Amino acid sequence: MLTIYPIKPVKTNNYNNFQQQRKKTLVNDVFIRTTPNISFKGTEQNERNSFIEWAEKTDFLKSQLPYIFSNPDCKIGSGFFHAAYSIPGNDEYILRIPKNQEFQIFDFSNAIIKDKEDKNLMINIGQEIATIELPKEKGIPTTIEILKKQKGKAIGIPPLQTLFIPGTGVLKSNELPYDDLARKEYYASTIHKVAQLPISAYEKLISDIREAEKFDYHFDHLNSNNLLIDEESGVINIIDMEKMKVPVFLGDLLYALTNMNYFSTFSSQHNKYAVAEEMVNKVIMDIVEIIDKFIQAMRNKGEKFNREECAYEFFRFMNSLPFELYCGTCDDNEKWKVLSEKGVA
């Protein structure tokens, strides 16, 4: 049962001794253009990658790649470093390329498809299953990733940095302002949908993150768009995980799940797109509900928050109004006491 304790004003602790944890690596990949004389290299026939088999049968490199990257309708979206594209006629996979190579033109005459699938990873986290590798262009190799496709609608609003032309401070022509009313309404809508999911959806999300961790996949908690709400199946799907040996801290996952990075922008009353107080209060209570369900799921899965492993973002999250409402206190030690009483600390 959800319990919200009355807040008692207490001086908050100083977190200056904690260092911000940031992901340090990214995968370098991608782009396209014409063809001939294409070769395919994969695993043995009895272990063949399903995408590679499909690509061979459909002459994919020669017949589709130039079309995909010249057609704006094929673009799904983009994040900090990559852009994603759909594949006409194939609903199981997508393409991902580095944003800095997105509009370049390459020679596909000696393109090679290589199998990169983790055969023992039995879940879908939008992982890479193959690459298309191109000859070196001025000494720089180019790689296009083929990823498993996930279902669902992205949670919340992407990071502010992704909306601007790199190095210019100029908003991209097809992007709305960060504090636009349409963005705020979308944020409120997705947060509400997350709050309505059953606890089993949160348990599955935690299980998937832990399973991916076994194969050295790391979740980028700084972009809530890496979580997708699949309303039809009632689950939360994961995308854009990176191969890196970094321990998973579930507090970061909760931070992303609530898109707390956008909350202050959403709730601000000091811009022309200010939303009604009623909407703000609704989102606050939805976030409290998400916190409660996530913590119940952690307890059910035998998981705990480790105070010594907390990232900077989780301490920001702990100081947010929704978390303080959930714990009923503004005091750091009291918050950890509440988490301990809940069986997750």
Side-chain angles (χ1 to χ4, degrees):
M1 183 178 74
L2 172 60
T3 303
I4 301 177
Y5 299 88
I7 292 182
K8 49 182 180 181
V10 186
K11 184 178 180 180
T12 57
N13 286 353
N14 191 328
Y15 299 124
N16 290 339
N17 58 317
F18 292 95
Q19 295 181 350
Q20 180 176 358
Q21 298 178 6
R22 292 284 189 240
K23 69 175 188 177
K24 298 295 183 182
T25 64
L26 63 96
V27 179
N28 185 30
D29 336 282
V30 183
F31 191 65
I32 66 232
R33 190 49 189 240
T34 79
T35 62
N37 303 324
I38 302 162
S39 64
F40 294 87
K41 296 182 181 179
T43 58
E44 295 300 321
Q45 184 61 36
N46 61 348
E47 298 178 353
R48 290 301 300 278
N49 181 297
S50 60
F51 177 83
I52 292 177
E53 290 187 320
W54 177 83
E56 289 179 323
K57 292 176 181 178
T58 60
D59 197 14
F60 172 71
L61 295 184
K62 183 177 181 180
S63 64
Q64 291 201 48
L65 274 180
Y67 168 79
I68 290 173
F69 289 98
S70 63
N71 185 354
D73 292 337
C74 290
K75 186 170 182 177
I76 300 171
S78 59
F80 280 114
F81 307 113
H82 300 96
Y85 287 77
S86 62
I87 303 174
N90 191 321
D91 202 39
E92 296 183 22
Y93 306 99
I94 64 170
L95 304 178
R96 186 172 78 167
I97 69 173
K99 291 175 69 174
N100 62 354
Q101 297 180 358
E102 188 176 0
F103 301 108
Q104 296 183 32
I105 297 175
F106 294 92
D107 179 10
F108 274 74
S109 60
N110 294 305
I112 298 173
I113 294 185
K114 292 188 176 180
D115 188 355
K116 299 291 184 178
E117 189 171 7
D118 280 321
K119 298 297 191 293
N120 295 319
L121 181 60
M122 305 306 293
I123 60 173
N124 183 358
I125 54 170
Q127 68 268 34
E128 175 188 76
I129 55 89
T131 58
I132 300 172
E133 299 188 4
L134 308 182
K136 291 184 178 181
E137 187 82 7
K138 296 182 180 179
I140 303 174
T142 301
T143 303
I144 302 172
E145 285 181 295
I146 295 89
L147 310 178
K148 282 193 172 184
K149 187 175 181 179
Q150 286 280 41
K151 293 176 59 180
K153 179 182 293 187
I155 291 175
I157 306 304
L160 180 62
Q161 301 92 315
T162 66
L163 308 181
F164 291 86
I165 300 172
T168 67
V170 177
L171 190 70
K172 295 175 183 176
S173 61
N174 61 334
E175 294 287 1
L176 295 172
Y178 191 58
D179 61 351
D180 191 86
L181 182 60
R183 290 194 185 278
K184 292 185 176 184
E185 291 175 343
Y186 181 84
Y187 168 78
S189 171
T190 58
I191 291 300
H192 182 67
K193 289 174 181 177
V194 173
Q196 297 304 301
L197 292 172
I199 293 175
S200 59
Y202 295 78
E203 292 173 345
K204 181 182 182 301
L205 177 62
I206 292 171
S207 294
D208 287 349
I209 286 286
R210 288 302 189 203
E211 182 65 17
E213 183 183 26
K214 296 176 184 177
F215 297 89
D216 299 328
Y217 285 96
H218 180 70
F219 176 71
D220 175 14
H221 64 282
L222 299 179
N223 188 352
S224 293
N225 279 187
N226 292 333
L227 296 172
L228 308 180
I229 311 167
D230 182 356
E231 293 185 82
E232 182 179 344
S233 301
V235 298
I236 302 166
N237 291 321
I238 313 165
I239 60 171
D240 209 21
M241 296 189 79
E242 299 285 359
K243 268 283 193 177
M244 53 193 298
K245 287 190 176 182
V246 178
V248 173
F249 175 64
L250 292 182
D252 295 343
L253 180 59
L254 179 55
Y255 176 87
L257 197 59
T258 57
N259 194 199
M260 187 52 64
N261 188 53
Y262 191 72
F263 178 75
S264 61
T265 298
F266 167 79
S267 58
S268 174
Q269 297 299 304
H270 302 292
N271 58 62
K272 65 179 180 180
Y273 300 113
V275 299
E277 183 178 353
E278 181 181 357
M279 180 181 288
V280 174
N281 291 337
K282 177 60 177 153
V283 166
I284 290 172
M285 296 315 298
D286 280 337
I287 293 176
V288 171
E289 186 72 20
I290 292 170
I291 295 169
D292 184 62
K293 288 182 176 179
F294 189 85
I295 286 177
Q296 287 187 62
M298 283 185 62
R299 184 172 62 243
N300 294 345
K301 302 295 293 183
E303 297 278 1
K304 293 181 182 293
F305 292 120
N306 185 335
R307 192 170 185 175
E308 302 303 318
E309 296 178 357
C310 297
Y312 168 77
E313 286 77 26
F314 187 64
F315 285 113
R316 285 182 57 200
F317 182 74
M318 289 187 71
N319 283 328
S320 70
L321 176 58
F323 193 82
E324 291 181 346
L325 283 173
Y326 175 77
C327 293
T329 180
C330 301
D331 180 73
D332 180 52
N333 290 323
E334 290 296 316
K335 293 171 190 175
W336 282 104
K337 183 179 178 181
V338 170
L339 293 178
S340 179
E341 291 171 351
K342 297 288 186 180
V344 295

